[in-house]
């Protein structure tokens, strides 16, 4: 019942936003603003055109890891009696005063996925700057702000800005991608590390950055990623699904079905991983680096 009330409230709020936005775009001053700021800025000279093939598998891996990270993070937060626990194997390591700590297998999987996601992110950043595609998601001037507001108003009024993601993102997309890659992702990594056992217990920064502060930031960042995924997928499908999917997965700018079928296959992999992420399947893998106990 509570979920239905929340959903109904969201629908009403969305309807109000659309109605107000459609009224706003009829005002002469707002129309002048939309003309002066159409919703996108020019890219720096020399920015590559099109989307490279490496971005397709990077997109899949990021989505794959993020979906499972969100799932395991929620399980860690809400499960009081985990189905299994994992204790790190100390063989071959320098012995310390602090023995390995027993953690839930959900947390073990969460941390493993985090490590893979960070590794993939490093590859993404290196490729982004090595190929010059960083200019597509890094603001080049302050005019991106009013252009992003213009694009947001156009989306809200259902008179959506012209899409040409193969050449240039609109300013709202640019700021969102920049925030996701260079703000939200680092925040998730730093706060996650602060909460982990790997963080030094007597680090000088601990007083200025207490674990309570990390927890207070880590969960809202997770909610941001959930919101980003939902809105991102909705807009990809609503603003020319076949062409957008070809951009993202097939490195081509047309309306064919190649990108769709690659996307469909990636969904099958992600759904399969979601349902296979159970202790019976995770335990043999986790036991390679530690002891699994029920």
């Amino acid at each position: 019942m509570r979920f239905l009330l929340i959903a109904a409230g969201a629908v009403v709020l969305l309807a109000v936003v659309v109605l107000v936005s459609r009224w706003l775009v009829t005002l002469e001053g707002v129309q002048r603003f939309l003309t002066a700021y159409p919703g996108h800025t020019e890219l720096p000279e020399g920015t590559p055109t099109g989307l490279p093939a490496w971005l397709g598998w990077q997109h899949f891996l990021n989505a794959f890891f993020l979906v499972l990270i969100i799932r395991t993070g929620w399980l860690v937060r809400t499960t009081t009696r985990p189905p299994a626990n994992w204790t790190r194997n100390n063989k071959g390591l320098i012995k310390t005063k602090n023995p390995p700590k027993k953690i839930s297998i959900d947390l073990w999987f969460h941390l493993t996925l985090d490590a893979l996601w960070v590794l993939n992110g490093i590859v993404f950043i290196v490729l982004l700057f090595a190929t010059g595609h960083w200019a597509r998601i890094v603001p080049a001037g302050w005019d991106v702000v009013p252009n992003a507001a213009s694009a947001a108003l156009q989306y809200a009024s259902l008179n959506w800005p012209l899409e040409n993601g193969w050449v240039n993102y609109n300013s709202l997309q640019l700021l969102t991608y920049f925030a996701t890659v260079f703000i939200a992702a680092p925040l998730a990594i730093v706060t996650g590390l602060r909460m982990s056992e790997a963080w030094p217990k007597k680090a000088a920064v601990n007083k200025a950055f207490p674990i309570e502060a990390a927890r207070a930031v880590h969960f809202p960042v997770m909610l941001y990623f959930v919101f980003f995924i939902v809105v991102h997928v909705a807009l990809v499908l609503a603003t020319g699904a076949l062409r957008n999917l070809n951009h993202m997965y097939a490195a081509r700018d047309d309306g064919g079905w190649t990108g769709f079928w690659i996307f469909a296959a990636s969904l099958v992999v992600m759904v399969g991983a979601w349902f296979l992420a159970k202790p019976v399947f995770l335990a043999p893998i986790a036991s390679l680096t530690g002891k699994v106990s029920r």
Side-chain angles (χ1 to χ4, degrees):
M1 185 64 181
R2 185 179 179 183
F3 174 78
L4 292 176
L5 289 175
I6 294 175
V11 170
V12 171
L13 178 62
L14 183 61
V16 170
V17 169
V18 171
L19 290 174
V20 171
S21 300
R22 292 184 72 85
W23 169 72
L24 283 174
V25 297
T26 64
L27 302 179
E28 185 177 346
V30 175
Q31 290 178 353
R32 288 198 299 269
F33 173 77
L34 294 175
T35 301
Y37 300 101
H40 66 272
T41 58
E42 296 299 322
L43 290 172
E45 187 176 351
T47 302
T49 300
L51 298 174
W54 60 262
L55 193 62
W57 54 262
Q58 272 287 316
H59 194 279
F60 162 70
L61 289 174
N62 269 310
F64 178 83
F65 291 136
L66 264 180
V67 167
L68 292 178
I69 286 171
I70 291 170
R71 179 185 186 273
T72 53
W74 183 255
L75 288 175
V76 170
R77 185 180 178 88
T78 58
T79 302
T80 56
R81 297 185 64 183
N85 293 300
W86 176 85
T87 307
R88 176 170 54 85
N89 189 345
N90 228 18
K91 291 181 179 179
L93 299 175
I94 298 175
K95 293 184 179 294
T96 63
K97 294 181 180 179
N98 299 321
K101 183 179 179 181
K102 181 185 294 185
I103 62 175
S104 72
I105 197 167
D106 293 326
L107 180 55
W108 167 83
F109 193 35
H110 185 72
L111 296 174
T112 302
L113 291 166
D114 286 341
L116 294 172
W117 181 60
V118 170
L119 178 61
N120 186 64
I122 293 172
V123 174
F124 172 75
I125 294 297
V126 170
L127 289 174
L128 194 68
F129 283 92
T131 59
H133 283 276
W134 63 269
R136 292 170 58 94
I137 63 170
V138 175
W142 287 106
D143 57 337
V144 71
V145 176
N147 274 293
S150 172
L153 183 58
Q154 292 175 63
Y155 278 121
S157 66
L158 302 184
N159 185 22
W160 293 350
L162 294 176
E163 295 289 338
N164 193 13
W166 184 254
V167 177
N168 189 8
Y169 297 127
N170 68 55
S171 293
L172 185 59
Q173 290 174 310
L174 187 156
L175 286 182
T176 302
Y177 296 150
F178 175 81
T180 302
V181 173
F182 297 106
I183 299 177
L187 275 177
I189 295 168
V190 171
T191 55
L193 277 174
R194 180 64 183 90
M195 294 186 296
S196 75
E197 290 297 313
W199 189 273
K201 302 296 183 184
K202 297 182 180 180
V205 75
N206 286 358
K207 289 185 178 180
F209 185 29
I211 193 170
E212 293 78 13
R215 290 196 182 103
V217 173
H218 198 70
F219 184 67
V221 170
M222 185 209 76
L223 294 180
Y224 167 81
F225 276 112
V226 172
F227 177 78
F228 171 80
I229 291 170
V230 171
V231 175
H232 180 61
V233 172
L235 289 178
V236 164
L237 298 179
T239 58
L242 292 180
R243 190 179 183 192
N244 288 335
L245 291 174
N246 271 332
H247 290 176
M248 295 160 60
Y249 289 97
R252 52 194 293 178
D253 185 28
D254 58 49
W257 286 84
T258 304
F260 170 83
W261 291 117
I262 298 175
F263 169 68
S266 74
L267 280 183
V268 171
V269 173
M270 285 188 280
V271 171
W274 179 285
F275 286 103
L276 290 175
K278 300 182 183 298
V280 65
F281 299 110
L282 295 177
I285 303 174
S287 63
L288 296 176
T289 56
K291 179 182 178 182
V292 178
S293 57
R294 299 288 178 180

